[in-house]
Amino acid sequence: MSKNIKITRGFDIRLVGEPEKIINNSGQSKTYALKPTDFFGVVPKLMVKQGDEVKAGSPLFYDKKRPNIIFTSPVSGIVSEIVRGEKRKLLEIRITADSEIQYEKFEIPQKLERQQIVELLLKSGLWAFIRQRPYGIIADPDDVPRDIFISAFDSNPLGPDNDLIVHGQGELFQFGLDLIKQLTPGKLHLSIRGDEKPSGVFRNAKNVEIHTFSGPHPAGNVGVQIHHIAPICKGEVVWTLTPQDVLTIAKFFKTGTVDYTRVVAVGGSGIQSPKHFRTIAGVSMAALLENNLKNDREYRIISGSVLTGTKVDKNGYLGFYDYQVSVIPEGGQPEFLGWLLPGFNKFSLSGLFPSKLLPSRKYDLDTSMHGEERPFVVSGQYEKVFPFDIYPVQLLKAILVEDLELMEKLGIYEVVPEDFALCEVICTSKINSQEIVKKGIELAIKEL
C-alpha cells in the first residue's frame, strides 16, 4: 500500500535563473570526458591508451577491486588525452568525438532472466548507474537488494524537471521499470511529488509502489524517501536509480546500443537563457555553455547542484551523475556597511533579515560563506532542515572521533553526504558536514 508523506523539516532555496521548461537540442561537444573521480570508492585500471579508437559503449577502464564493473565511452572517436594528477592519479579520459557517433552492438536475448540483465548491464558499463545504500557507492552485482528506490522529482535549487524530461516516453520508461523490477525480489518504489500534479508517465507507472512526497527540499532526495518508506537496517542493501537512468537502461535493452544521451538543466543568475539541454554524459562545459554565459561579473560554474556539486572551469566536463549545471556569482567581495543595511535582498532562514517575510522571493546568491569554521555550536539548527529521525550533530561528532560502534547506532547506514547539504548551508560554525560524512563512510567501508 502506498504512503503519502509530508516532509516538514527542510528548506527551499529559491535562486534566480530557474531553467525554463524547454529542451534545447544544441548541447553537443567536440570532446567528452569520463572522470574516474566521479565514482566513489572505485580504483580505476585503464583499458585504453592515448590514440585508441573507441565506440560509444567501448570499455575505458574497470574497478581494480571489482573487475567485473567496467566503465564505457559515452561517444565514439579517438582517446585524445589521459589526464593524471598527483601520484599519477587518473583524473580524466578525454575523447575527441566523431561527427557521427558509432555504437558498440550488444546482443540482447528476447527473453531476459535476472542474471542476463545483470551481465549485460556490467558488460555495457551501465551498471555504474545503479548505486546502493548504505554508502552511496556503485552496487555490488553479487548482492540481491531488499528493494529498489527511484525518486521521480529533484527538489534541489535549479534542479531538472523530470516531468518535462520523461514527457512522451511513457512506454520506454515502463519498459525500463519492468526490467529493473526483475533485479529485486522485494519492491520497486517510485516517489512522486504530492504537492503538484506529476507527469502521467510517473502517475500511471505499473509494477511499482508509488509514494507521494510533499514539502521542501530535501524531499526529493532518495535517501530521505528511503528513510520514510522503509529504513535500512544493518545487513540490508537497497539500490537507487534516477528516472533518466531508467530511460538509458531501457534504450539499451531495446536497441542493443549504449546511448548516454541525457537532459541537463542549466540555470543560475550567470546564465543568459536558463533552460534544459539535450546532450551526452561527459560533455564539455565550453560547448554546453557556449554563448549563454554572462560576463558582467565573475561566476562559478558548478557541475551539479549548488548544494552538492563540483566546481569546474570553462574547460571542464559534466560529471557522470550530474543532471544539472549551476552558474552563480563568485563571492568573497567585501560589502560596504553591509551590517548596517536592512537586508531586504539577503537570504535568511533564521529571520535575521526582513527578507524572511517574503517566502516566495528569489535570490541572486553568491558563493560567500559569511564566516569561517569554528567549533560546533549546539543550536538545534541542523534539526530544522534534516528530515531524518537521526541526531545529525551527534553522528558528525561520532565520525570525527572515529567511533564506529556509535556511528552505526546513530545511522551511518542511512545517509550520504548530500543528505547533510542543507545542514552545511545553515551552519553557524561553517562546518563542512558533507566532507565529514564522506570520511565516515570511507571509514565504515574499510572497517565494518
Side-chain angles (χ1 to χ4, degrees):
M1 183 178 176
S2 65
K3 300 178 180 178
N4 187 7
I5 299 159
K6 182 173 177 60
I7 300 297
T8 55
R9 287 177 282 170
F11 195 77
D12 286 325
I13 301 175
R14 301 179 187 279
L15 296 181
V16 173
E18 187 175 344
E20 288 184 63
K21 295 185 179 184
I22 297 171
I23 297 179
N24 188 307
N25 292 316
S26 64
Q28 307 309 319
S29 172
K30 291 181 181 175
T31 60
Y32 294 80
L34 196 62
K35 299 185 278 189
T37 50
D38 287 338
F39 307 103
F40 182 54
V42 166
V43 180
K45 177 68 176 176
L46 266 177
M47 301 172 74
V48 292
K49 59 183 183 300
Q50 192 169 324
D52 282 357
E53 292 185 15
V54 293
K55 294 180 180 179
S58 297
L60 296 180
F61 64 93
Y62 65 88
D63 183 5
K64 278 185 183 177
K65 293 188 288 188
R66 295 182 289 180
N68 55 347
I69 298 180
I70 65 169
F71 301 84
T72 54
S73 176
V75 294
S76 64
I78 303 290
V79 177
S80 53
E81 192 174 1
I82 294 172
V83 183
R84 293 183 181 272
E86 291 183 5
K87 299 180 180 178
R88 291 187 54 76
K89 183 177 181 180
L90 186 58
L91 300 180
E92 291 179 357
I93 301 159
R94 296 180 183 171
I95 298 151
T96 301
D98 292 332
S99 55
E100 186 174 344
I101 296 178
Q102 306 297 314
Y103 296 91
E104 292 281 2
K105 190 68 180 172
F106 296 83
E107 191 171 332
I108 309 293
Q110 282 196 336
K111 189 173 180 182
L112 287 159
E113 302 293 334
R114 181 186 188 276
Q115 191 56 33
Q116 290 174 304
I117 296 172
V118 171
E119 287 171 3
L120 281 164
L121 287 173
L122 287 168
K123 197 175 175 184
S124 65
L126 299 184
W127 187 263
F129 284 122
I130 303 176
R131 286 179 284 180
Q132 71 165 59
R133 301 291 177 100
Y135 310 138
I137 58 176
I138 294 174
D140 187 337
D142 292 331
D143 283 339
V144 176
R146 187 200 68 192
D147 298 311
I148 298 177
F149 292 81
I150 300 166
S151 174
F153 65 100
D154 191 326
S155 57
N156 277 288
L158 310 173
D161 185 329
N162 284 328
D163 291 348
L164 171 72
I165 293 166
V166 302
H167 179 72
Q169 302 191 76
E171 188 178 334
L172 188 65
F173 187 73
Q174 183 62 54
F175 179 68
L177 292 178
D178 294 339
L179 284 166
I180 292 162
K181 179 67 181 72
Q182 293 188 57
L183 300 179
T184 177
K187 294 177 180 176
L188 178 57
H189 299 276
L190 180 68
S191 301
I192 62 176
R193 270 281 190 200
D195 45 9
E196 295 174 8
K197 188 175 181 181
S199 167
V201 173
F202 296 132
R203 284 186 284 113
N204 300 324
K206 299 177 178 62
N207 300 324
V208 296
E209 187 156 312
I210 296 178
H211 309 270
T212 58
F213 279 80
S214 56
H217 182 71
N221 282 9
V222 73
V224 174
Q225 296 166 1
I226 294 169
H227 179 79
H228 288 274
I229 296 168
I232 307 168
C233 298
K234 185 177 181 180
E236 292 181 335
V237 172
V238 301
W239 291 354
T240 66
L241 287 154
T242 72
Q244 292 211 61
D245 302 339
V246 176
L247 291 175
T248 303
I249 290 171
K251 276 186 283 186
F252 169 69
F253 282 96
K254 281 276 188 187
T255 65
T257 59
V258 178
D259 182 354
Y260 281 100
T261 299
R262 63 177 57 178
V263 176
V264 177
V266 178
S269 59
I271 295 294
Q272 295 180 25
S273 179
K275 62 182 72 163
H276 293 71
F277 287 83
R278 194 180 309 279
T279 184
I280 298 174
V283 65
S284 76
M285 289 294 168
L288 189 61
L289 302 176
E290 187 176 17
N291 300 323
N292 203 10
L293 271 180
K294 293 180 183 175
N295 55 14
D296 57 329
R297 301 165 69 179
E298 186 181 356
Y299 289 98
R300 179 178 296 188
I301 301 170
I302 300 166
S303 179
S305 160
V306 293
L307 297 175
T308 58
T310 306
K311 178 184 176 183
V312 295
D313 64 33
K314 288 181 185 177
N315 298 316
Y317 295 86
L318 183 73
F320 185 82
Y321 294 113
D322 294 333
Y323 296 96
Q324 71 175 105
V325 173
S326 312
V327 183
I328 61 173
E330 278 288 1
Q333 301 300 319
E335 190 177 6
F336 182 64
L337 295 179
W339 58 279
L340 278 177
L341 301 175
F344 284 105
N345 294 320
K346 290 185 177 177
F347 167 75
S348 173
L349 182 65
S350 64
L352 182 64
F353 300 111
S355 57
K356 175 72 174 179
L357 302 173
L358 305 167
S360 60
R361 182 170 199 150
K362 292 186 177 181
Y363 296 89
D364 183 10
L365 299 182
D366 60 32
T367 61
S368 297
M369 291 177 64
H370 301 290
E372 58 188 10
E373 189 171 325
R374 301 183 182 90
F376 269 116
V377 175
V378 181
S379 60
Q381 288 176 310
Y382 284 20
E383 287 76 4
K384 293 178 182 174
V385 296
F386 189 73
F388 291 79
D389 292 328
I390 288 173
Y391 296 113
V393 175
Q394 286 85 343
L395 176 57
L396 293 177
K397 288 182 177 179
I399 294 171
L400 288 172
V401 298
E402 299 186 355
D403 187 333
L404 286 166
E405 189 176 345
L406 189 57
M407 285 162 56
E408 276 190 313
K409 290 178 180 174
L410 289 170
I412 188 67
Y413 297 128
E414 293 204 57
V415 296
V416 294
E418 71 171 8
D419 297 319
F420 278 77
L422 277 179
C423 297
E424 206 168 274
V425 171
I426 56 95
C427 182
T428 304
S429 303
K430 311 302 175 188
I431 302 290
N432 191 343
S433 309
Q434 294 189 76
E435 192 61 32
I436 294 172
V437 174
K438 186 178 177 185
K439 287 179 180 175
I441 290 172
E442 286 173 339
L443 182 66
I445 292 172
K446 184 180 175 184
E447 301 291 340
L448 294 176

